[in-house]
Amino acid sequence: MAKAKGAIVVNNETCKGCELCIPVCKENVISMTSVVNRKGYHYAYMINPEACNGCTNCAVVCPDRAITVYRVKVPA
Amino acid sequence: MAKAKGAIVVNNETCKGCELCIPVCKENVISMTSVVNRKGYHYAYMINPEACNGCTNCAVVCPDRAITVYRVKVPA
Amino acid sequence: MSELKLMKGNEALAEAAIRAGVDAYFGYPITPQSEVIEHLMAERPEERTGMVVLQAESEIAAINMVYGAASTGKKAMTSSSSPGISLKLEGISYLAGAELPAVIVNVVRGGPGLGTIQPSQADYFQSVKGGGHGDFKLYVLAPASVQEMSDFVEDAFDIAFKYRAPVLILSDGLIGQMMEKVHLKDQQKRMTDEEVIEKYGSWAVTGKTDRERNIITSLDLDPEKMEVRVYKLLKKYDQMEKEDLRYEKISCDDAEYLFVAYGSSARIAQKAVSLARKKGIKAGLLRPITLFPYPKHQLFELADQVKGILSVELNTGQMVEDVQLAVQHKVPVEHFGRTGGIIHTPEEVLEALEDKVIINGCIGNHKTRESSIL
Amino acid sequence: MSELKLMKGNEALAEAAIRAGVDAYFGYPITPQSEVIEHLMAERPEERTGMVVLQAESEIAAINMVYGAASTGKKAMTSSSSPGISLKLEGISYLAGAELPAVIVNVVRGGPGLGTIQPSQADYFQSVKGGGHGDFKLYVLAPASVQEMSDFVEDAFDIAFKYRAPVLILSDGLIGQMMEKVHLKDQQKRMTDEEVIEKYGSWAVTGKTDRERNIITSLDLDPEKMEVRVYKLLKKYDQMEKEDLRYEKISCDDAEYLFVAYGSSARIAQKAVSLARKKGIKAGLLRPITLFPYPKHQLFELADQVKGILSVELNTGQMVEDVQLAVQHKVPVEHFGRTGGIIHTPEEVLEALEDKVIINGCIGNHKTRESSIL
Amino acid sequence: MTEEIIIAGFGGQGVLSMGKILAYSGIMQDKEVSWMPSYGPEMRGGTANVTVILSDERISSPYLKMYDTAIILNQQSMDKFEKSVKPDGVLLYDPNGISHHPTRKDIKIYQIEGMKLAAEMGNKKIFNMVVLGAFLKIKPVIKLENVTDGLKKSLSERYHHLIPLNKEAIIKGLGSVSVYNVEEQAFHI
Amino acid sequence: MTEEIIIAGFGGQGVLSMGKILAYSGIMQDKEVSWMPSYGPEMRGGTANVTVILSDERISSPYLKMYDTAIILNQQSMDKFEKSVKPDGVLLYDPNGISHHPTRKDIKIYQIEGMKLAAEMGNKKIFNMVVLGAFLKIKPVIKLENVTDGLKKSLSERYHHLIPLNKEAIIKGLGSVSVYNVEEQAFHI
Amino acid sequence: MDVLEIIKPENQVFCKTKLMTDATLSYCPGCGHGTVHNLTIEVIDEMAIAEDTIGVAPVGCSVLAYDFMNIDMTQAAHGRAPAIATAISRLWPNKYVFTYQGDGDLAAIGTAETLHACNRGENIVVIFVNNGIYGMTGGQMAPTTLCGMRTSTSPYGREIENMGSPLKITELVANLPGVFYATRQSVHTHKHARKAKKAIRKAFENTRLNKGVSFVEIVSNCNSGWKMTPLESNQWMVDNMFPIFPLGDIKVDAKLKKS
Amino acid sequence: MDVLEIIKPENQVFCKTKLMTDATLSYCPGCGHGTVHNLTIEVIDEMAIAEDTIGVAPVGCSVLAYDFMNIDMTQAAHGRAPAIATAISRLWPNKYVFTYQGDGDLAAIGTAETLHACNRGENIVVIFVNNGIYGMTGGQMAPTTLCGMRTSTSPYGREIENMGSPLKITELVANLPGVFYATRQSVHTHKHARKAKKAIRKAFENTRLNKGVSFVEIVSNCNSGWKMTPLESNQWMVDNMFPIFPLGDIKVDAKLKKS
Ligand SMILES: Cc1ncc(C[n+]2csc(CCOP(=O)(O)OP(=O)(O)O)c2C)c(N)n1
Ligand SMILES: Cc1ncc(C[n+]2csc(CCOP(=O)(O)OP(=O)(O)O)c2C)c(N)n1
Ligand code: SF4
Ligand code: SF4
Ligand code: SF4
Ligand code: SF4
């Protein structure tokens, strides 16, 4: 069975640091930066990129659609 | 058992001749005059006064409360 | 070709709306204008032209339906009478702010409050100064006959679309309820959806195709931008003054005394002019047909010719202020009016001219003029 | 004894309402005045004085609740901002028509439509000429400071009950949102039900006892009677002019040029007066405190002294018409204003005086004056 | 020629439609016309009146204080409008239900037993046409043929079968009007 | 004496309450005061600013074009208000988050590391008090005791236990302001 | 026994209550408004609460209710009676406050005020005369107009597709917790009138007990608007209105009746 | 596998739809409005109906919806969106017309317009974001505010007695025959958001089929108004809002679900 591997790209400037994406990620991929963006918000990033399976849960729940998700199938 | 005998007095000027009082009178006491009052309405009167038992049905249904009802008990 | 009929003003207006190819009417019953929607409903306009006629749940819903319809580039109108128009004022202000073309009809009755249902002109201030909030004006047409009730529908839409601005037809219970001969225009075709898109697709919400999206709004949180918006409106109003002012002069050429009156008052004042002339008083009548823009230059000029002016209105004194502003104190300006639904008679109007203007006009020094204005 | 606080104008007004013993407030949130109801709710007025404070489902419900409360002889008020006031106009006309005492507060923002939430004075016409339908006027108080936001609540109710008429407090976003020192009056007791009945039982609906029944209505189907009603209102307005006109003169004694401004514009114009005087221009300020009645006699007299007048408003030119009507063309009258939520700076205002009045004033012939008015 | 008329009576008497037929007939005769009703909460009886003006010139005020002719069909209207007839003008009324008859001596007064005649003709609704006939007898301002055309125009098609009856009523009215003498009694013309 | 101040920054930085404390302190010192906020759809971040005027005379316009002092707490506000400082006036700012530093040479420019210092003190919320302290160092228009009274008045009772911390922050600010030299670098006073 | 012997003051068993004024009702002959007025006032009279009752008249045929009811009354703007009653009841919490409204007033323009007064559970009585039409203005369609029914603004009959279905507002507001009592009655016969009177009585009793909104709908005729004689209109009402607006209690003691 | 190898255009499985503009949403961090905007526009995108869709923006936090949605839109006066949508839909019967409204807008000032558009069965979609508060104006009480909930106009908590109960307007309008579909959703987790999207899709499909009103309520957070972090507010919503406003379909295919 093929396994999915994923990755997300967060738009640093539109991310508002609401953290809604964190709990919906069952793989604990996401965390918040300690620095802030131009609007003064900490923003999301992959603290644990290997774990991402590209399920899009984070992106779907992101009010600002700051997350773009990529996925490839890799052999299990 | 005492029987009731009744009578109604119609205020000729406030009666508007709507005839609602006629069918509710089971004793067929009421009819309409052929003359009209100052406002141009035919008005109710007792065509059959003996039959009135003072049940007040006509008065209760009269929108203009043009009917005053009287009743006495008479030996049956 | 035109058809000759005897109709009420309200009916003539409704019939003219169908014939002018108006797309939608939204209204709520109120005396003395319910014949408008009644005529429309009786005429099955959906069948005749496809016009949408809907009885709304309230005047507020009706004016907002007009706003919605107007935002799609279609010709939409509503009508009501005084209390109902008050309820529409937020929506009217939105129409002006969002630059939407629409026609609103007020068949005025006596106020304030529930008032009477009899004719009145007590909504003049509301109509021309700004009943709604904010810096805006309505183009205001004041019909004085059943024929004008009919003709002004198309005129009003022309102006509304020329300027993308709401237009008010300010009528009253007399003009709305009376019957006169009316020459009805032929049926015009309603624009097809495609024609609407072609003509108004640059701004109307008709569905975003390749063009930029269209947005209808009156909001600008940024006051700098909001100010630009308001100045844009001002420009339109200036242009209206230049290009679309309307008025009628009756017996003015040799007039020594002038009535100023619109709508039903103009009809009555016109009779007063005849009565006056029979008595040897050279009276004339200036009838503003548009109340905004107002014929101020015309009045300013007439003020050089006449000795005094009487503003005749079915109210306690409203238009008289515009007359005063226009006349700039060159001659005495007085007001005569009845109110609360009473219509003045031609005789009364003439008497008022004699009492208030002719006598005063002879004394005519600054002090008396002052007192009459202050 | 009074308490000194730093408060927003809106809060000061709310607090003053509690302290004045107002019986009821009904309102609906809208920026920039939501602090009024927020302050009232936070202060638990039901506990402090028994005052009823209710958030209504809409502005229309709120004004009609005021109508209901006022009809019982109690002191009731509402507040809103421009679009919300437009919605209240039917109700306001009813209040006037039914001769009910009540206080309405408009913390004006920029319009038309949804507009901005920034300060504006573009509702002047609506307030003084007649936003609602019919022949009526509001007594209009225009506070220019947080202190006046506080003080005018009681003043407004005094007038409202003196005349049995609705009173408008016409504020704006600047006066409503700014904080200043305010001396708050001591808490007054609310009238008991018995006191209300004793004082207003002659007309208010408090339950029919031995007296004739009381009826609150604005309706008269008979126009003859309706006209009598309207003339009764007119009489009140005349009396207001005689007895309750309010204005303030600042640096007028030796003024050669005059600003006329109310509310927040008056604050800015006052600074412009100082700036002008620093430059050697003898400027003064007439601040109408009541916008209806309007200080027309005062202006008429000042017109003999000054060379020109500038009406300073946060709109595109509204009050200027009243100034012109009052001045009766004795000296040039110009308007300066910003709109859409922009507040003019004192520097701009002074510049406008120099550009529009002082230069024009020197040329000052009839033709230029005309063009400025027409 | 200008004829200024007020027609006044009870709500249900067909006052407004009588005025309308008159106005439409005027149009058929190429006249300028105006028809101005008193309007009110329509549904609830009471009195109704309508001012009709027929003229060869453009009509200015449709609303008047004094009339050439007053057609009066109940007591309230008599009380209100007797005084509004111009000197030398005409007052035409149906005596049915009138308790206080007119008293003016400077006008011409006529009676028409409209209600009675209509009842006799078996249709109370044509009462107003009888009165219209009476008016046209007194003031023949419109030709009968034009009145027929006016009827046609003002009635919707589904009532056109009633036109003959209406005409009959008008003719009945034409023949039944009588002069009322304030001091004495009524005479037939 | 009249001091006309604008304080500008992000919504959450306590700009408005800093202005309010300043104004209340002014009252404690018997001054006339006005506090005029920029207001907007309050809930949604963005920038906020407030104009505070302290004066010995009645204040006319609460709204100004030019200020004696601008206290600037983010880049947007710097872009907007640097030009609004009167010649010889004061611009005080927190360099944190500022990418384009001020460049005017006709005004006096000061820095306060408010955010950093507040973080060091363990409470980001007292940031605005640090800045207030810095302002009072530069323009000692209000006595410290009156500021304490102002704090008391403007905070509701349940926050009174925070007053000592706030005072500490003000004192920290008093001691930490530095002159910013447009051509060179910042020096401590 | 001679009629004149019966007609004596001591034998009087029914007459118009003194709490009604002597003014002739302005309603058309046979209009239910008259009966509802009288029943309401009879209840107030019998409960002896006239001194403590304030009525709110609507805009509609019953706008002049204050001319007929000899109690203190406020005339409301069209549709706003519930807002006005809210304020009166809040300021005089010990008074009996009722609105008297038609269907256009209550269920069209006044929808929001009706619904929110009900939702807040104001301690008021709402007397709602549903005649399926706008009577006052000449018989236009109301939200309650039946499908297919002809009115001056639905001259070919109300079509559901364009104009919506008859709105059963009483059932709707009965869902709100603030409504304690909701019932639908009629007054076209003595039996119905007597029952309606009981319902009105119950409504006022609820006010005494501070129970919130009591909503009494009366299905009634508008013979003028319907263009029928009074008796015809009543029959038409029975045949056509009652199936859509069935009589009976809808909510009693805050409990919805199953339907 | 390296992240950079995954992040390639051909591997992209989710990104913001182009039918949203590039403007930064004006909402507070974590506000459900953003998600609902995106879901709505994604549905319109996926159905490929952008050319035939007209949106109506309310007065409320989402007043600027037209800045974000790249479709034709009209901004409505407070509460009047359903009236405006009515007109648009009547004049362009082949278009998809939707309103986007908050709870203050829809259930307070707009009550009458909401109810009557529903009663007429206008062929429109109503997207109703219920966050129990007036967000835009600074967190005042809404008709939907929960009992005991603190807002700036109920600073000591909403009291039923004075302020009424939370209004379940969706259940209420579901009773009207004009409403074909009524559902209550939320968007606080990916699961809920995906379900909400399906509901929105169904609503637009109904318009295609000319079915009348589709009413999609989204229970959402207003972290600013509630004075919580976004995550706290979502939890609070689950714990407090859902019991009163339970998620799920209320009426499907014109049939009420039993509750
Ligand atoms: C704001 C406003 N809109 C409309 C009217 C006109 N109007 C008067 S009564 C009425 C409807 C009355 O119908 P209903 O409430 O059903 O009462 P009914 O007359 O049938 O008893 C209307 C629309 C008005 N007076 N005010
Ligand atoms: C006529 C009118 N009344 C009031 C307002 C002020 N106002 C703007 S938004 C709003 C409430 C918004 O709340 P809601 O509809 O719940 O939307 P949210 O902001 O919570 O999304 C109010 C009362 C207005 N703009 N117009
Ligand atoms: S949900 Fe979106 S906005 Fe919120 S933290 Fe995650 S990426 Fe940022
Ligand atoms: S019910 Fe009354 S009004 Fe009608 S006919 Fe009988 S007595 Fe007369
Ligand atoms: S119009 Fe209808 S509701 Fe009005 S009084 Fe007549 S019958 Fe009654
Ligand atoms: S105020 Fe509330 S509803 Fe508005 S954007 Fe912020 S979180 Fe969302």
Side-chain angles (χ1 to χ4, degrees), chain C residues 295-343:
Chain C
K296 0 187 212 185
H297 290 286
Q298 289 67 25
L299 266 168
F300 186 72
E301 275 162 25
L302 277 168
D304 289 330
Q305 169 192 324
V306 302
K307 295 186 195 155
I309 298 177
L310 185 69
S311 180
V312 181
E313 312 167 48
L314 293 174
N315 61 41
T316 59
Q318 301 191 10
M319 184 179 71
V320 61
E321 290 194 4
D322 279 333
V323 179
Q324 286 169 334
L325 284 168
V327 166
Q328 297 193 21
H329 239 68
K330 291 204 247 174
V331 291
V333 172
E334 295 291 339
H335 165 266
F336 175 72
R338 296 294 300 264
T339 187
I342 301 221
I343 306 171

Side-chain angles (χ1 to χ4, degrees), chain C residues 59-271:
Chain C
E59 289 88 354
I60 290 187
I63 191 71
N64 283 286
M65 288 172 183
V66 166
Y67 180 97
S71 72
T72 71
K74 303 232 179 175
K75 290 187 190 166
M77 67 185 290
T78 185
S79 65
S80 189
S81 178
S82 309
I85 296 289
S86 285
L87 287 169
K88 287 182 199 282
L89 289 171
E90 189 207 22
I92 290 174
S93 178
Y94 267 74
L95 284 168
E99 298 190 78
L100 289 177
V103 174
I104 302 120
V105 183
N106 185 359
V107 183
V108 182
R109 59 193 241 181
L114 190 49
T116 58
I117 54 180
Q118 304 304 321
S120 169
Q121 298 183 317
D123 298 357
Y124 178 88
F125 273 148
Q126 186 193 62
S127 311
V128 307
K129 296 296 169 191
H133 59 285
D135 273 310
F136 78 94
K137 293 268 179 204
L138 297 170
Y139 183 90
V140 184
L141 277 164
S145 65
V146 173
Q147 187 64 52
E148 286 186 344
M149 283 291 269
S150 166
D151 294 343
F152 284 3
V153 175
E154 206 176 328
D155 297 354
F157 274 105
D158 286 346
I159 295 286
F161 276 84
K162 173 173 175 185
Y163 294 103
R164 275 182 59 194
V167 171
L168 180 73
I169 298 182
L170 187 68
S171 181
D172 61 57
L174 189 116
I175 304 293
Q177 291 294 328
M178 74 188 284
M179 290 210 221
E180 291 187 310
K181 269 194 215 180
V182 54
H183 294 272
L184 293 166
K185 296 202 185 129
D186 282 347
Q187 179 65 53
Q188 277 175 253
K189 278 233 181 67
R190 276 181 58 233
M191 280 164 95
T192 63
D193 287 355
E194 293 68 34
E195 285 165 349
V196 169
I197 290 174
E198 202 187 321
K199 201 139 182 209
Y200 307 119
S202 59
W203 59 266
V205 294
T206 56
K208 177 194 174 316
T209 48
D210 297 335
R211 60 165 166 75
E212 282 285 286
R213 75 189 182 288
N214 287 333
I215 296 165
I216 301 296
T217 183
S218 61
L219 171 73
D220 241 315
L221 285 171
D222 178 352
E224 306 274 349
K225 290 196 195 135
M226 187 66 203
E227 189 176 54
V228 172
R229 262 179 191 271
V230 176
Y231 284 140
K232 188 172 169 207
L233 300 185
L234 270 197
K235 262 206 185 144
K236 294 188 192 183
Y237 306 144
D238 284 345
Q239 193 187 345
M240 285 176 188
E241 302 221 37
K242 289 202 194 84
E243 298 176 14
D244 294 292
L245 174 74
R246 292 174 66 173
Y247 58 91
E248 185 186 10
K249 282 183 185 175
I250 294 168
S251 311
C252 280
D253 287 350
D254 63 342
E256 291 179 357
Y257 294 97
L258 189 70
F259 293 113
V260 186
Y262 68 94
S264 53
S265 279
R267 294 290 290 265
I268 292 154
Q270 195 185 337
K271 178 111 185 183

